[in-house]
């Protein structure tokens, strides 16, 4: 089954070139099934690129998923035209009475700001609380993962002097975890962040389970016991050249930054990097949609607000 988005969304053309099945809403409306409803709160400045990355992963499932793109009322993105946002995004205030089977909250380039220094922090906290009562499962990505862990569990990140940037090897900490089902013993994931939460502090929180990580990156994949919150501190959605673009952008600014680790062939930025994490990324999102959304969400989406979860895949 396809991902369903608004008919004229620019991401459609790029995804179709990759042979990704994306269905316009005009066609989906003719099908008599109950599709899952998913929203993406896109906090990244590069809206279209981020849309493509996440919709690509969501489309690799037999489930039909209707996607809404959301924006916060108090956040204005300087890098995007208001026309694109007005055409394809809904304000949070417009969906407060709406229930979703799943929500993704993207990262944001706010590495060196304290949370209360973020202009839209108050509204984002309101969104976090709203999701707990209107969404079956919420996936927090990178900066949003640290922000969510702080808001929901009081875990404060520490800022490292050097950015953790590159493609790193990870391992699963459970043999039969639902989210990591089918993973290889070792798998690769890109990271690009300054923030870090010590895994020992996370372990003190009984509500959280660390499913995968490594000594070098710490905790990568976490969830709460019910699966209503899933946290990713890395970027499985990244394209092959995303880290390359970030590195070049920092170099052009005159910043003294290290090259991304384990990324460029022969550690040479002039050589084209390969995408070595895509199969893991597809499997992770497929597992999440299957085990913590589709098999857990009530058929009547109006019951989501009553915190009805039919299964508990606690690892």
């Amino acid at each position: 089954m396809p991902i369903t988005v608004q008919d004229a969304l620019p991401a459609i053309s790029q995804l179709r070139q990759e042979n990704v099945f994306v269905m316009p809403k005009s066609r989906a409306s003719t099908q008599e099934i109950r599709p899952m409803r998913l929203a993406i709160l896109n906090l990244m400045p590069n809206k279209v690129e981020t849309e493509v990355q996440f919709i690509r992963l969501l489309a690799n499932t037999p489930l039909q998923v209707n996607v809404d793109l959301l924006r916060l009322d108090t956040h204005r993105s300087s890098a995007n035209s208001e026309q694109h946002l007005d055409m394809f995004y809904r304000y949070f205030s417009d969906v407060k009475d709406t229930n979703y089977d799943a929500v993704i909250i993207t990262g944001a380039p706010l590495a060196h700001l304290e949370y209360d220094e973020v202009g839209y922090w108050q509204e984002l906290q309101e969104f976090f609380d709203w999701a707990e009562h209107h969404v079956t499962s919420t996936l927090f990505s990178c900066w949003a993962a640290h922000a969510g862990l702080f808001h929901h569990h009081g875990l404060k990140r520490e800022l490292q002097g050097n950015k953790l940037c590159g493609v790193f090897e990870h391992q699963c900490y459970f043999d039969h975890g639902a989210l990591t089902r089918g993973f290889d013993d070792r798998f690769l994931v890109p990271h690009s962040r300054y923030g870090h939460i010590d895994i020992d502090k996370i372990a003190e929180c009984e509500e959280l389970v660390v499913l995968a990580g490594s000594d070098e990156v710490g905790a990568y994949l976490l969830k709460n016991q019910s699966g209503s919150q899933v946290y990713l501190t890395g970027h499985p959605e990244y394209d092959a050249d995303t880290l390359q673009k970030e590195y070049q952008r920092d170099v052009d600014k005159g910043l003294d930054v290290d090259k991304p680790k384990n990324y460029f062939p022969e550690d040479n930025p002039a050589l084209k990097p390969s995408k070595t994490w895509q199969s893991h990324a597809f499997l992770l999102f497929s597992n999440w949609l299957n085990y913590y959304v589709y098999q857990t969400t009530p058929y009547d989406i109006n019951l989501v607000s009553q915190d009805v979860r039919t299964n508990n895949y606690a690892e």
Side-chain angles (χ1 to χ4, degrees):
M1 286 291 186
I3 290 294
T4 304
V5 294
Q6 292 189 47
D7 289 41
L9 188 70
I12 292 178
S13 59
Q14 180 174 335
L15 291 168
R16 282 179 173 166
Q17 291 175 17
E18 300 176 19
N19 203 29
V20 175
F21 190 8
V22 181
M23 179 184 290
K25 286 186 176 179
S26 57
R27 180 180 172 190
S29 63
T30 65
Q31 299 189 332
E32 296 181 357
I33 61 174
R34 153 65 161 102
M36 289 195 298
R37 298 189 62 179
L38 181 146
I40 300 175
L41 178 62
N42 191 353
L43 303 176
M44 290 295 289
N46 50 338
K47 296 290 189 232
V48 175
E49 181 179 347
T50 304
E51 293 160 13
V52 169
Q53 291 173 347
F54 280 104
I55 292 173
R56 178 191 294 124
L57 296 178
L58 294 169
N60 191 48
T61 171
L63 307 171
Q64 181 170 319
V65 183
N66 290 354
V67 176
D68 285 342
L69 299 173
L70 303 184
R71 61 191 296 195
L72 296 175
D73 295 63
T74 53
H75 178 41
R76 293 294 178 268
S77 181
S78 60
N80 296 273
S81 69
E82 285 298 313
Q83 182 179 9
H84 178 79
L85 294 170
D86 290 342
M87 285 182 65
F88 301 112
Y89 281 70
R90 304 179 68 184
Y91 282 106
F92 172 40
S93 58
D94 294 332
V95 301
K96 285 184 176 179
D97 295 327
T98 303
N99 290 344
Y100 288 94
D101 300 297
V103 161
I104 294 172
I105 307 175
T106 74
L110 301 168
H112 295 293
L113 291 179
E114 294 294 337
Y115 295 124
D116 58 7
E117 295 176 338
V118 175
Y120 52 81
W121 176 241
Q122 183 174 348
E123 187 182 9
L124 184 59
Q125 291 185 96
E126 183 183 351
F127 188 93
F128 290 161
D129 293 334
W130 166 85
E132 279 297 287
H133 300 284
H134 291 267
V135 181
T136 299
S137 184
T138 301
L139 188 149
F140 302 77
S141 175
C142 200
W143 180 86
H146 284 161
L149 289 168
F150 174 70
H151 176 74
H152 287 301
H153 305 285
L155 294 169
K156 188 170 183 178
R157 63 176 181 168
E158 297 178 358
L159 295 181
Q160 308 297 303
N162 295 318
K163 180 191 285 189
L164 178 73
C165 184
V167 180
F168 300 94
E169 188 175 79
H170 300 64
Q171 68 182 84
C172 299
Y173 297 142
F174 292 86
D175 291 335
H176 303 291
L179 275 172
T180 56
R181 188 156 295 161
F183 281 23
D184 292 329
D185 291 339
R186 302 279 176 172
F187 60 93
L188 301 174
V189 184
H191 285 259
S192 180
R193 55 182 166 88
Y194 286 95
H196 178 77
I197 300 176
D198 192 282
I199 197 168
D200 292 332
K201 291 183 179 179
I202 298 173
E204 295 174 359
C205 182
E206 295 182 358
E207 177 62 14
L208 294 173
V209 182
V210 180
L211 302 175
S214 75
D215 291 340
E216 191 167 11
V217 308
Y220 158 61
L221 173 60
L222 310 84
K223 74 173 192 70
N224 66 348
Q225 292 290 346
S226 70
S228 67
Q229 303 164 12
V230 174
Y231 299 94
L232 298 176
T233 65
H235 287 284
E237 81 281 1
Y238 267 10
D239 295 322
D241 62 353
T242 303
L243 289 178
Q244 182 182 40
K245 291 177 180 177
E246 290 183 2
Y247 172 70
Q248 190 59 52
R249 190 161 52 240
D250 289 343
V251 170
D252 292 342
K253 291 179 181 178
L255 301 178
D256 183 17
V257 293
D258 295 330
K259 289 175 290 188
K261 290 185 178 181
N262 316 311
Y263 179 59
F264 292 114
E266 302 176 18
D267 203 29
N268 184 351
L271 299 179
K272 182 179 180 180
S274 299
K275 193 172 187 179
T276 56
W277 55 89
Q278 182 164 275
S279 58
H280 149 73
F282 278 132
L283 186 53
L284 171 61
F285 275 70
S286 179
N287 284 346
W288 173 59
L289 286 175
N290 181 18
Y291 295 113
Y292 288 102
V293 183
Y294 176 70
Q295 294 194 36
T296 304
T297 198
Y299 183 81
D300 183 352
I301 199 168
N302 293 315
L303 297 178
V304 169
S305 60
Q306 300 178 24
D307 293 330
V308 176
R309 295 185 174 95
T310 58
N311 291 307
N312 185 343
Y313 289 96
E315 281 88 352

